[in-house]
Amino acid sequence: MGTMEIGTLKIKSDLVFAPIAGFSDVGFRHLCAGFGAGLTYTELVSAKGIVYNNKGTQELISTLDSPCAVQLFGHEPEFMYKAAKDERLGKFDVFDINAGCPVKKVFGNGDGSALMLNPSLLGEVVQAVKEGSKKPVTVKMRAGIEMGKPLAVECAVAAEKYGASAVTVHPRYRAQFYSGSADHTITREVKNAVKIPVIANGDIVDLDSLERVRKISGADGFMIGRGALGRPYIFAELERRSFEYDRHECILRHIEILRKYMPDKVVANVMKLQLCYYAKGESFAKAVRIAVGQAKSLEDIFGIVDEYMK
């Protein structure tokens, strides 16, 4: 695999771990970085949540590794500027703007993928975050909103014009959410339209799919999302590096890191989702899902780990 440059930042691998709500926590990011992810991203963080110091925001912006990107969502340049300027975010190496989230609540507020409907506003948001953060700014976007009506090229060109250092394209339409397949010919169109690096995201789960996406998209970098869940070692696998993976040890390390940054009750809730993926494909996966559904405390989580994950 190659290296990649995002503005002034040089990263050691062109494989990066995606911002995924509920999964891109400080502990799992650390595991992915340890297995070779060149850059990791926080899950989406509300710009207004930063500005108003909303409860729970601090846990989302905890970080242990560098380089790491913080992903902000919002559509008002003034709030995006204030959030980017917040000293608590000074530890991040990259500021990523979420222009891809399809969730109704986010979209309905004009945030996430709704930003793609107004490329000039997206450009203003890029400019605001760049001025506030003084760091490289990237944008993660979709193919577009409605099926068959691509907006990615127009939005990527606007992002570049206003100072973005890279764009990530997840070429599904907002209407698809996470169904169907990603159309990486759209990623190639974006690659052909801009001079900044383009990161391809969507449907990369193994070496074959990585090579297919690389060939179709011609992208500079590759973002692994759901393919990494429960499998932080995928980054070493995709780089054809030998590695040792002890699931039990990884899960305990994951929990240990989370406990440094959040209360045990929150750790238990975060790990419920994560454990289902750590068990995915195993004969005990169903038993873990049932046990997780009944778990009420971190002690219960440790019990599940010791019973099934050794």
Side-chain angles (χ1 to χ4, degrees):
M1 296 297 123
T3 57
M4 187 168 50
E5 292 185 18
I6 297 176
T8 53
L9 179 70
K10 292 182 180 179
I11 60 175
K12 64 184 180 182
S13 170
D14 55 8
L15 301 176
V16 303
F17 176 52
I20 311 177
F23 292 99
S24 298
D25 59 69
V26 59
F28 196 68
R29 293 198 311 267
H30 180 68
L31 295 179
C32 290
F35 281 107
L39 179 66
T40 63
Y41 294 68
T42 68
E43 54 188 286
L44 72 171
V45 180
S46 162
K48 285 187 174 177
I50 295 285
V51 173
Y52 294 130
N53 201 16
N54 287 359
K55 188 172 177 258
T57 299
Q58 193 57 42
E59 289 151 11
L60 297 176
I61 59 170
S62 303
T63 189
L64 185 58
D65 300 282
S66 181
C68 186
V70 60
Q71 190 186 64
L72 292 175
F73 77 93
H75 68 279
E76 296 157 286
E78 62 271 31
F79 278 101
M80 296 296 272
Y81 171 79
K82 285 178 185 171
K85 205 172 164 62
D86 192 294
E87 60 184 19
R88 290 171 297 166
L89 301 188
K91 59 196 170 187
F92 291 100
D93 305 276
V94 174
F95 281 66
D96 186 65
I97 294 160
N98 183 310
C101 181
V103 175
K104 192 176 179 181
K105 186 180 173 187
V106 174
F107 184 85
N109 283 338
D111 304 328
S113 54
L115 265 178
M116 295 189 74
L117 293 167
N118 190 342
S120 60
L121 177 61
L122 174 59
E124 287 175 38
V125 166
V126 168
Q127 193 172 41
V129 173
K130 192 172 181 183
E131 285 175 8
S133 68
K134 309 293 188 217
K135 300 279 180 74
V137 174
T138 59
V139 180
K140 185 169 187 284
M141 60 183 68
R142 287 193 161 236
I145 308 302
E146 295 175 41
M147 291 295 294
K149 294 183 180 176
L151 300 169
V153 168
E154 195 182 347
C155 289
V157 167
E160 180 180 45
K161 179 184 170 187
Y162 282 88
S165 293
V167 292
T168 299
V169 183
H170 175 191
R172 282 181 171 85
Y173 292 90
R174 189 245 169 184
Q176 289 175 279
F177 277 70
Y178 300 99
S179 66
S181 56
D183 179 3
H184 282 290
T185 61
I186 292 171
T187 313
R188 177 169 281 282
E189 287 170 15
V190 171
K191 173 66 185 158
N192 291 339
V194 296
K195 293 185 174 69
I196 55 176
V198 174
I199 300 169
N201 172 224
D203 298 350
I204 302 171
V205 295
D206 54 23
L207 271 166
D208 286 347
S209 53
L210 172 63
E211 289 313 314
R212 187 169 66 249
V213 171
R214 186 190 299 280
K215 195 174 174 184
I216 296 168
S217 69
D220 304 281
F222 303 89
M223 180 178 278
I224 322 298
R226 287 175 295 170
L229 301 185
R231 302 164 66 207
Y233 56 83
I234 192 174
F235 298 95
E237 205 171 69
L238 294 178
E239 290 197 321
R240 294 182 165 92
R241 281 190 288 109
S242 60
F243 61 91
E244 288 180 18
Y245 174 65
D246 180 321
R247 177 168 46 202
H248 186 254
E249 200 177 288
C250 271
I251 294 171
L252 292 182
R253 177 70 178 137
H254 190 163
I255 294 171
E256 180 191 359
I257 292 165
L258 293 183
R259 293 184 84 181
K260 291 177 182 174
Y261 296 97
M262 49 190 83
D264 282 2
K265 190 176 179 183
V266 177
V267 175
N269 285 332
V270 169
M271 289 309 298
K272 284 181 183 184
L273 285 170
Q274 297 279 14
L275 286 185
C276 292
Y277 275 92
Y278 279 118
K280 195 175 177 184
E282 300 287 357
S283 58
F284 50 77
K286 188 177 178 184
V288 167
R289 286 199 304 274
I290 292 167
V292 156
Q294 297 167 344
K296 292 183 170 60
S297 67
L298 189 57
E299 284 65 36
D300 294 342
I301 296 295
F302 277 124
I304 297 166
V305 174
D306 287 342
E307 186 172 349
Y308 297 104
M309 305 291 192
K310 280 198 168 171

